[in-house]
Amino acid sequence: MQNGETKYLSEFYHLPEFKTLEGYKKNGGYIQLEKALKMQPQAIIDEVKNSGLRGRGGAGFSTGMKWGFLPKNNEPRFLLCNADEGEPGTFKDRMMMEKAPHQLIEGMLISAFAINSKKSYIYIRGEYRYSTDTLMTAIQEAYKAGYLGKNIMGSGFDHDMDIYRGAGAYICGEETGMISSLEGLKGQPKLKPPFPAVQGYLKKPTIVNNVETLAAVKYVIRDGASGYRKYGTEKSAGTKLFSLSGNVNKPGNYEVPLGYPLKDMIYELGGGIKNGRKLKAVIPGGSSAPVMTVDEVEKATLDYECLAQLERC
Ligand SMILES: Cc1cc2nc3c(=O)[nH]c(=O)nc-3n(C[C@H](O)[C@H](O)[C@H](O)COP(=O)(O)O)c2cc1C
């Protein structure tokens, strides 16, 4: 039996002050960065691997395993946050960046320390003007407070962070297209391998992770791998933010444990179909995702396994 809405990453999103450095720090901000900077980078990677955290950008690849693909001793390494969020009907990364920019920055800094990266970029959807401004203010605050720049919190770790605005191309959400775009080239995907972890931005090892994935890293450090696994299923650990839109009474972003029933998302959290009408179909996310029938919706759970194998749900 799964819980309903579970505000784990989004616990403080209702507080307007949470987007400022002061408000963020009042609610536990940057404590996990301090903790992580005292850990061995490999211990962070192991914790992330053991937590079962999987990419929140779509493919659901193990985050710790991806980090583990970085070649040894090949520097510089880059961290690239995928904030392109071009999928129709999706607006959860936007909310995270607008309500909690420092949560993303802290998650990115912990991740960057773990993979030994001194430079990161947030590649943000061009239309997200307000999110960009919010993030820029937060990055400036973080520099001023010594969370970015040289010798962060006296740890000897240096890190710089920049924002890069996309120009409205959906395909630039694909990681290799994004890297080309960041390099100033046409945003076209490249054949893999080589994967970005081996040869990415400027042909250097690059880890590309979604906004929500990077923000979740902070919680893996706070609660440990087993604490993080308190929510979700064995193969789909943790919580996830889902954007619910269409003809429902209460559209919005909802954070639930992975494995949560899709019909409960529609009828419990979303308040059901408008005007008491009958459900006809659901697009579970992504322009290339199959349209789900009512029978499939009845049985479906919101986790990687179920959505990847719709017919078996
Ligand atoms: C056409 C296409 C569009 C994509 N758009 C996004 C996107 O908007 N945001 C995102 O995080 N991942 C997107 N992805 C997935 C990325 O290529 C990549 O797998 C992801 O950013 C990795 O991060 P994660 O491991 O944290 O999920 C897209 C993939 C494809 C094929």
Side-chain angles (χ1 to χ4, degrees):
M1 180 67 194
Q2 289 281 359
N3 304 321
E5 192 172 18
T6 303
K7 295 191 176 179
Y8 184 57
L9 268 68
S10 59
E11 182 181 1
F12 299 112
Y13 286 11
H14 62 287
L15 299 176
E17 62 173 22
F18 198 61
K19 75 173 181 200
T20 67
L21 179 60
E22 204 190 334
Y24 183 66
K25 284 183 73 179
K26 242 199 253 170
N27 294 286
Y30 289 106
I31 291 175
Q32 305 318 317
L33 174 62
E34 194 176 357
K35 178 175 167 184
L37 290 173
K38 289 179 188 141
M39 291 171 71
Q40 288 299 320
Q42 187 57 46
I44 301 175
I45 298 178
D46 290 344
E47 205 67 33
V48 171
K49 222 182 258 178
N50 295 336
S51 73
L53 175 63
R54 294 170 64 174
R56 303 309 197 215
F61 195 77
S62 156
T63 305
M65 209 182 278
K66 189 193 278 190
W67 294 3
F69 290 152
L70 284 166
K72 302 262 174 286
N73 306 324
N74 192 350
E75 291 177 28
R77 294 163 167 191
F78 295 101
L79 176 66
L80 179 50
C81 171
N82 190 340
D84 200 48
E85 198 166 53
E87 222 54 87
T90 312
F91 41 91
K92 51 108 189 164
D93 293 341
R94 174 178 160 190
M95 180 179 80
M96 298 187 80
M97 292 186 284
E98 291 180 5
K99 305 252 182 224
H102 285 286
Q103 186 185 63
L104 173 60
I105 296 170
E106 185 175 8
M108 284 180 69
L109 279 164
I110 297 170
S111 308
F113 177 69
I115 63 166
N116 190 20
S117 161
K118 293 181 171 49
K119 176 85 200 190
S120 60
Y121 294 92
I122 302 173
Y123 187 104
I124 190 165
R125 180 179 169 148
E127 293 92 329
Y128 282 3
R129 188 61 214 236
Y130 182 69
S131 315
T132 307
D133 290 348
T134 311
L135 272 175
M136 275 169 70
T137 305
I139 288 175
Q140 280 161 8
E141 282 180 320
Y143 267 107
K144 261 199 199 149
Y147 297 124
L148 276 169
K150 297 256 175 259
N151 191 21
I152 295 168
M153 299 173 104
S155 64
F157 176 60
D158 305 334
H159 191 81
D160 285 307
M161 191 177 287
D162 260 333
I163 300 180
Y164 190 95
R165 286 181 71 202
Y170 169 73
I171 198 61
C172 288
E174 193 283 331
E175 56 191 8
T176 58
M178 172 171 291
I179 288 169
S180 298
S181 170
L182 189 64
E183 289 171 337
L185 304 172
K186 198 166 169 182
Q188 276 179 333
K190 296 187 203 86
L191 285 175
K192 292 185 260 190
F195 288 92
V198 176
Q199 189 177 308
Y201 180 57
L202 304 178
K203 298 203 165 21
K204 293 292 173 192
T206 303
I207 290 295
V208 184
N209 276 132
N210 173 260
V211 170
E212 188 181 352
T213 313
L214 292 165
V217 167
K218 164 185 162 160
Y219 295 84
V220 171
I221 296 305
R222 189 187 74 180
D223 300 338
S226 56
Y228 186 77
R229 282 184 172 278
K230 196 171 120 202
Y231 298 113
T233 66
E234 174 63 26
K235 289 189 175 159
S236 296
T239 61
K240 167 111 195 61
L241 282 126
F242 289 93
S243 302
L244 181 66
S245 57
N247 285 319
V248 287
N249 285 311
K250 289 191 281 174
N253 284 313
Y254 295 101
E255 185 176 9
V256 293
L258 283 163
Y260 186 70
L262 173 55
K263 65 175 185 334
D264 290 355
M265 170 71 70
I266 298 167
Y267 291 100
E268 300 289 327
L269 304 179
I273 314 296
K274 272 189 186 159
N275 304 319
R277 295 179 71 170
K278 273 199 179 148
L279 179 73
K280 289 190 179 150
V282 168
I283 302 175
S287 310
S288 48
V291 176
M292 295 173 78
T293 64
V294 175
D295 281 351
E296 284 171 329
V297 171
E298 272 296 314
K299 289 178 272 173
T301 47
L302 295 166
D303 51 68
Y304 297 103
E305 286 67 47
C306 180
L307 294 178
Q309 302 168 25
L310 268 180
E311 71 279 6
R312 300 228 318 250
C313 293

